[in-house]
Amino acid sequence: MSERYEYYITGDDAGYELYGANWLAQTFTPSTAHTITSVKLKLYRYQNPGTLTVGIRATSGAFPTGSDLTSGTTNGDTLTTTATGEWREITLTDYSLSASTKYAIVLRALTANDTNYANWRYDNAGGYSDENEAHSGDSGTSWAAQSGYDFMFEDWCDALERNLTTSIGLSTTLAKVGTFVRSLTTSIGLNTGQSKNGTYVRSLTTSIGLSPSMARAGTFSRSLTTQAGLVASLTKDQDLTSWLCVASRDGSSVKTRNGTNWTTCAKDDSGVAINSSWLAQFDNRLCTLDYENSGFGYSNVNDIVANWAAPKPNFPNLPQRFTGMYVGRDAGDDKALYFLTPIGVYGLDVFTNFLFPQTEVTWEYDSTSGKKGIYWRGNHYIAVGKGIYQITGGVATPIGPDTDDGLPEDMQGTVTDMIGVGFWLVIAVDGDAGKKSSILKRYLTGNHWHTVYVGSVDTPIRALMWDSGTLYFGEGSNVKSLPFSSATDNVAKLSTHTYSASGDLIYPYFHSEFEAMPKVAHKIRGVTQDCDSNDTITIYYRTDSTTTWTELGEFALSPRPTALPFPASGDAVGTSFERIQFKASYARTTSTDSPKLESLTLEYRVVPPVLWGWDFYVNARTSGDQSGQDVINALKTAIETGTLLSFYPDGDKGGTEYFVEVSRMPGNESGTDFGQEAVYFVSVQEVID
């Protein structure tokens, strides 16, 4: 019998294609020295990939190196076409493996191509400790690894061979049953005979499930004259790897798997290309929508290579331009297909009824609205001009960067793309003429937008894509990228993260709860990390409608640098403001660290208006033509009235007028009560300024 040594058979999420120069490998480290006689790999095919060759190679670091130490082949054309794969045993020339030494299983299909290829099943959960997959696009000259990915494999040794012991001069005959037939290596002088009988047929009982495809980085040498509508990855039963499908508003769409060979994507039942501006994967079909008025097409189930179903050139019949298409969920939490227009969102009831009901999400005609829609983390997000609607449970809430203070004037523009990365909603804002485009992010449960990237003037950003910790975006005629981890929201926790030499963080305007009251800012305090004389954070501020920044000072110490006082002007210490905004400018000297500002605290004082009060005497005695009782009655009326009284401190009604109330009962001379003629002491007080 045979004995299994090293193996990884956990997870089994999807398949990775191999053909031509695209080779795959999996590292393993024997815990026990043994002679490897075969490997079992979980494989499946699309079309006819031809002969598959597997070899065992030494490693350098995490990657194969050198030539095969041992190898074997199998007929790839006899593999299953079912995406769950089959365990295929491949016989190798015997080779002794050393314990605690890392080796690599290297698999290739040299005569296969991008329409006839094999797939090796893998797990993407990172469960095979200290080992990794590797992939090469140049026939093993160079290798790369996808973090957390491991291929399904088993390392086998023929136990009969390993346990066979004889003495010199003995003749040993070995009979065995099964397909595990090996050439036996014996001691000098032995005459070893071997026969075999029977064939084992293996049957799989695993069920077919939905498996994600693995995306690989590449350069696609195709120029588009208009922006791409959607990059779609289509999962097929026979092919769980990725197609890159690109739709153009100019007309048809194209697809590729390697960036070099491009073929028509959307087509009719005769194979003729059809207009295709927007793409979406729905109900195991790739669907396409034209740019204006009507034109809908769709592929066969799980197949975009064969001719598509007969298109619907007059559906949906709507006198509008179509600005996008996406898959979401309806009120019953069922998957649904939607398309966007400059006046709102419509549903697409397709494949049977072909209806396009208008949803309740509508707005006045706006040529900049409806550029993008996505369903992410249980919510619909619809781009509406400069804003975004988040739709949850039938309630639309504005959450776009146009809320609150909005974007600075030089960054204002239209939301043209949105993607979800981890728990961040990431958007592209296409700046208007003469303005800068930008990329912003907002945490799922947050209330504020954070700047990710700001471009140059008149270089639009209209497309975003994220893959394996990198954010790709189109800016003008270029494709750019920057690190954007989904593993943590704090990039300071990533040792591999690189930092810019400098950068600015602009905070939202600070609005006090005493919004209408005058205020005076006195100090700004910070809590920092990694600040010193070389790695600093400079704080700037601007108040009210001022557009220029004023430098306040520098944090060059951690964790609690000296508070920065607001400047004095003459005898006045502090800066008056109604609202105030801060900017932190970071500067560093190393590429692997950065000064960090953990908190920023403003010390300010609310300055309420001054309310004046007056004390004076009133002579309420009869004298000449003055009636003391009339004066007393006037005082009584002033005390009892609910309204404020006009008051002129200098007695001149042409002077400054104050509005006051009597703040206490008038006092009178000893021995008299109020109402008797006397000289009364009166206090009045301003209530409002």
Side-chain angles (χ1 to χ4, degrees):
M1 60 177 293
S2 295
E3 182 174 346
R4 184 177 68 176
Y5 279 77
E6 306 307 320
Y7 60 91
Y8 189 71
I9 58 175
T10 303
D12 189 10
D13 294 308
Y16 204 140
E17 68 185 43
L18 62 140
Y19 59 88
N22 298 308
W23 295 13
L24 303 178
Q26 174 64 45
T27 66
F28 70 102
T29 304
S31 57
T32 303
H34 63 280
T35 298
I36 188 171
T37 58
S38 67
V39 292
K40 296 179 184 178
L41 310 180
K42 200 168 189 183
L43 307 171
Y44 65 97
R45 66 181 171 91
Y46 182 68
Q47 305 292 2
N48 298 302
T51 299
L52 306 186
T53 301
V54 63
I56 306 298
R57 294 191 178 187
T59 61
S60 176
F63 302 127
T65 186
S67 57
D68 290 341
L69 304 174
T70 181
S71 63
T73 61
T74 190
N75 185 357
D77 295 348
T78 62
L79 289 169
T80 181
T81 58
T82 303
T84 48
E86 67 167 283
W87 283 101
R88 173 63 62 93
E89 183 175 30
I90 303 171
T91 299
L92 305 175
T93 303
D94 295 356
Y95 185 81
S96 297
L97 301 179
S98 300
S100 303
T101 300
K102 189 183 292 289
Y103 297 92
I105 302 170
V106 179
L107 182 64
R108 57 268 197 192
L110 301 180
T111 61
N113 54 47
D114 63 347
T115 57
N116 295 270
Y117 51 87
N119 293 267
W120 192 355
R121 299 284 298 180
Y122 67 86
D123 169 46
N124 61 14
Y128 194 20
S129 179
D130 299 324
E131 306 295 346
N132 60 272
E133 72 84 33
H135 51 270
S136 171
D138 53 12
S139 301
T141 301
S142 61
W143 295 88
Q146 182 75 32
S147 177
Y149 283 59
D150 294 287
F151 289 114
M152 302 290 106
F153 81 97
E154 295 179 348
D155 153 28
W156 286 82
C157 170
D158 192 324
L160 285 175
E161 170 195 340
R162 186 172 66 87
N163 295 326
L164 180 64
T165 57
T166 59
S167 301
I168 295 176
L170 295 180
S171 176
T172 304
T173 301
L174 173 66
K176 59 184 286 191
V177 178
T179 58
F180 314 118
V181 180
R182 309 299 312 139
S183 299
L184 299 182
T185 304
T186 59
S187 303
I188 297 174
L190 294 182
N191 178 18
T192 305
Q194 175 178 310
S195 63
K196 64 174 184 176
N197 183 27
T199 301
Y200 290 156
V201 178
R202 308 181 71 86
S203 61
L204 300 180
T205 59
T206 54
S207 59
I208 298 175
L210 181 61
S211 301
S213 60
M214 172 189 267
R216 300 198 300 271
T219 301
F220 300 101
S221 55
R222 185 167 182 87
S223 300
L224 301 179
T225 57
T226 62
Q227 70 182 80
L230 180 69
V231 177
S233 172
L234 181 65
T235 302
K236 305 195 305 178
D237 272 348
Q238 297 83 6
D239 173 21
L240 293 179
T241 54
S242 293
W243 286 95
L244 175 69
C245 300
V246 180
S248 168
R249 287 193 327 206
D250 283 348
S252 60
S253 58
V254 290
K255 67 180 186 298
T256 184
R257 253 204 300 262
N258 57 19
T260 301
N261 301 319
W262 294 81
T263 57
T264 297
C265 181
K267 49 196 171 184
D268 61 17
D269 49 340
S270 299
V272 178
I274 60 176
N275 288 344
S276 178
S277 300
W278 311 107
L279 299 171
Q281 186 180 331
F282 178 62
D283 263 4
N284 296 320
R285 304 175 189 262
L286 186 59
C287 301
T288 182
L289 187 66
D290 199 0
Y291 178 54
E292 193 168 24
N293 300 341
S294 63
F296 180 81
Y298 54 98
S299 72
N300 295 309
V301 174
N302 295 324
D303 189 358
I304 64 171
V305 176
N307 293 344
W308 288 25
K312 300 291 182 179
N314 299 317
F315 171 83
N317 185 15
L318 186 69
Q320 293 287 345
R321 287 183 173 178
F322 307 142
T323 54
M325 183 168 59
Y326 75 102
V327 177
R329 288 190 175 273
D330 60 19
D333 201 33
D334 296 318
K335 280 190 175 181
L337 188 60
Y338 299 93
F339 71 96
L340 306 170
T341 74
I343 62 171
V345 182
Y346 287 77
L348 279 171
D349 184 354
V350 292
F351 309 144
T352 301
N353 299 319
F354 292 98
L355 303 173
F356 56 102
Q358 187 172 14
T359 71
E360 67 276 15
V361 184
T362 62
W363 50 81
E364 293 296 324
Y365 178 87
D366 182 357
S367 62
T368 66
S369 291
K371 296 292 186 182
K372 183 68 175 184
I374 63 172
Y375 183 81
W376 175 68
R377 300 288 183 182
N379 303 310
H380 291 257
Y381 295 89
I382 309 297
V384 185
K386 294 177 171 59
I388 298 171
Y389 283 147
Q390 174 183 295
I391 303 171
T392 307
V395 178
T397 304
I399 65 162
D402 59 332
T403 55
D404 297 328
D405 297 315
L407 292 175
E409 184 177 4
D410 64 343
M411 292 173 57
Q412 293 174 1
T414 301
V415 178
T416 53
D417 201 3
M418 296 184 289
I419 59 174
V421 180
F423 290 94
W424 292 95
L425 178 64
V426 185
I427 67 172
V429 179
D430 182 7
D432 297 333
K435 298 181 180 180
K436 301 174 183 177
S437 295
S438 59
I439 301 173
L440 310 175
K441 67 177 183 178
R442 180 182 187 269
Y443 199 70
L444 179 65
T445 57
N447 296 313
H448 302 292
W449 289 93
H450 303 255
T451 303
V452 176
Y453 174 83
V454 179
S456 304
V457 173
D458 292 329
T459 53
I461 298 175
R462 295 172 181 167
L464 303 172
M465 175 183 169
W466 182 90
D467 180 58
S468 304
T470 301
L471 180 67
Y472 300 90
F473 58 97
E475 182 180 14
S477 59
N478 299 313
V479 175
K480 297 183 178 181
S481 66
L482 53 84
F484 195 107
S485 175
S486 65
T488 177
D489 296 324
N490 183 2
V491 295
K493 301 297 183 182
L494 299 174
S495 60
T496 57
H497 190 78
T498 57
Y499 298 86
S500 298
S502 61
D504 294 338
L505 175 61
I506 299 177
Y507 290 84
Y509 272 98
F510 170 70
H511 295 268
S512 168
E513 60 181 320
F514 304 100
E515 188 74 23
M517 293 286 191
K519 295 167 286 291
V520 176
H522 291 286
K523 288 184 179 180
I524 193 79
R525 297 184 183 273
V527 177
T528 66
Q529 282 189 21
D530 303 322
C531 277
D532 54 32
S533 58
N534 295 317
D535 300 318
T536 61
I537 303 173
T538 304
I539 303 299
Y540 298 82
Y541 74 94
R542 61 185 178 188
T543 61
D544 306 333
S545 59
T546 304
T547 57
T548 57
W549 294 98
T550 300
E551 182 176 342
L552 190 60
E554 181 181 88
F555 291 148
L557 185 67
S558 291
R560 289 182 174 83
T562 302
L564 304 176
F566 282 81
S569 178
D571 295 332
V573 179
T575 298
S576 298
F577 71 94
E578 300 297 331
R579 63 174 186 165
I580 191 168
Q581 188 176 31
F582 295 98
K583 177 176 72 171
S585 292
Y586 295 73
R588 58 144 188 89
T589 56
T590 62
S591 61
T592 58
D593 205 354
S594 170
K596 304 170 187 67
L597 185 56
E598 294 189 340
S599 69
L600 199 64
T601 303
L602 171 65
E603 291 184 359
Y604 72 103
R605 181 169 55 93
V606 178
V607 185
V610 176
L611 300 177
W612 293 97
W614 293 266
D615 296 328
F616 54 90
Y617 290 94
V618 175
N619 183 7
R621 289 193 178 116
T622 300
S623 176
D625 59 354
Q626 174 181 293
S627 168
Q629 193 59 48
D630 289 345
V631 174
I632 292 171
N633 291 338
L635 280 174
K636 182 180 180 182
T637 300
I639 294 169
E640 294 176 345
T641 186
T643 59
L644 299 179
L645 305 169
S646 294
F647 179 71
Y648 300 89
D650 57 3
D652 180 9
K653 288 190 175 182
T656 304
E657 181 182 26
Y658 297 88
F659 296 95
V660 300
E661 66 179 2
V662 178
S663 57
R664 66 180 181 180
M665 286 291 292
N668 54 331
E669 294 173 330
S670 177
T672 61
D673 295 325
F674 182 72
Q676 297 177 334
E677 291 190 4
V679 176
Y680 289 94
F681 181 77
V682 179
S683 295
V684 295
Q685 175 71 51
E686 270 192 309
V687 178
I688 59 173
D689 62 343

